[in-house]
Amino acid sequence: GQSLEQPSEVTAVEGAIVQINCTYQTSGFYGLSWYQQHDGGAPTFLSYNALDGLEETGRFSSFLSRSDSYGYLLLQELQMKDSASYFCAVSNYKLSFGAGTTVTVRA
Amino acid sequence: SAVISQKPSRDICQRGTSLTIQCQVDSQVTMMFWYRQQPGQSLTLIATANQGSEATYESGFVIDKFPISRPNLTFSTLTVSNMSPEDSSIYLCSVALAGVGGELFFGEGSRLTVL
């Protein structure tokens, strides 16, 4: 099966940088994805890493180390609208999600 | 991208009844999935809906409890049968356009409360 670990919650102020770590155990690993979900909304895709290294998309970056079974999502220049839950997910033949990290951005 | 419509968006159901959730996609997709998300929790895959064949269920989920139909490449239904309060949850339809490793698009979910 799959198991993923990520922190349950993070609080930071506007303009700060937050890093959400994700460690995983799985068989048949294809890649690591990140999803954002605002309260009451649908999860939306943020990024996908199939290879080691850093992927940057605007204020958000995602990193993967396959040898360490580890990845992280970096949120820069935090804004109030970034307050949401963030899920890492590993893919083999299906997508399996971590428990989620609630990010709260304070003014 | 894909636009997914789910019905109903929410419902309150009585114990012992069944409810069917519909999922309509604006384009033809091969891979369609049904997830369950209890409030404040993670997303758990119920099954993969296969067009033209039976759905593939994950451990802990059975066809008698969660029958799924996939009559074509744009539509699927999930039925929650003989509901109990433990079935109170958000049920989400999702699709992949470019393989499992790529982006999943989600519907807005169907929030079921079982009394």
Side-chain angles (χ1 to χ4, degrees):
Chain A
Q2 295 80 31
S3 70
L4 299 95
E5 285 194 20
Q6 56 181 124
S8 59
E9 50 185 83
V10 174
T11 300
V13 297
E14 272 187 301
I17 298 173
V18 160
Q19 178 172 315
I20 303 171
N21 297 320
C22 175
T23 57
Y24 59 87
Q25 286 187 313
T26 184
S27 55
F29 178 79
Y30 292 169
L32 186 70
S33 303
W34 290 91
Y35 285 78
Q36 179 192 60
Q37 186 179 33
H38 286 99
D39 218 19
T44 56
F45 173 82
L46 292 177
S47 67
Y48 174 68
N49 294 68
L51 303 175
D52 287 358
L54 189 68
E55 295 278 345
E56 297 180 74
T57 310
R59 295 186 296 112
F60 294 177
S61 303
S62 58
F63 171 83
L64 175 65
S65 169
R66 295 173 69 110
S67 60
D68 294 323
S69 297
Y70 163 76
Y72 66 72
L73 179 70
L74 194 69
L75 315 179
Q76 302 180 78
E77 299 171 22
L78 273 179
Q79 302 175 8
M80 298 297 288
K81 66 179 182 180
D82 298 329
S83 291
S85 292
Y86 293 82
F87 296 90
C88 60
V90 293
S91 56
N92 42 35
Y93 73 94
K94 63 178 183 179
L95 203 61
S96 301
F97 288 81
T101 299
T102 300
V103 173
T104 302
V105 182
R106 295 186 286 110
Chain B
S1 67
V3 176
I4 302 170
S5 303
Q6 270 187 249
K7 292 182 189 179
S9 58
R10 59 178 63 229
D11 207 337
I12 298 174
C13 310
Q14 296 300 316
R15 183 195 300 258
T17 63
S18 299
L19 182 82
T20 296
I21 302 167
Q22 298 180 5
C23 177
Q24 179 75 53
V25 189
D26 68 341
S27 59
Q28 293 188 337
V29 295
T30 303
M31 307 188 76
M32 187 176 283
F33 308 92
W34 286 98
Y35 282 86
R36 182 171 73 181
Q37 184 178 33
Q38 298 184 314
Q41 303 294 313
S42 183
L43 293 86
T44 301
L45 181 63
I46 298 171
T48 302
N50 304 307
Q51 195 268 330
S53 65
E54 278 196 5
T56 304
Y57 289 84
E58 296 300 307
S59 176
F61 298 96
V62 295
I63 187 171
D64 289 347
K65 176 67 176 178
F66 298 101
I68 288 171
S69 78
R70 181 87 194 271
N72 56 52
L73 292 175
T74 65
F75 186 78
S76 179
T77 67
L78 169 75
T79 298
V80 186
S81 303
N82 188 24
M83 287 186 284
S84 67
E86 292 70 37
D87 295 319
S88 297
S89 193
I90 301 168
Y91 293 84
L92 293 146
C93 170
S94 71
V95 302
L97 298 185
V100 175
E103 179 176 358
L104 280 191
F105 297 89
F106 285 86
E108 291 293 323
S110 300
R111 183 182 293 266
L112 303 188
T113 301
V114 185
L115 303 178

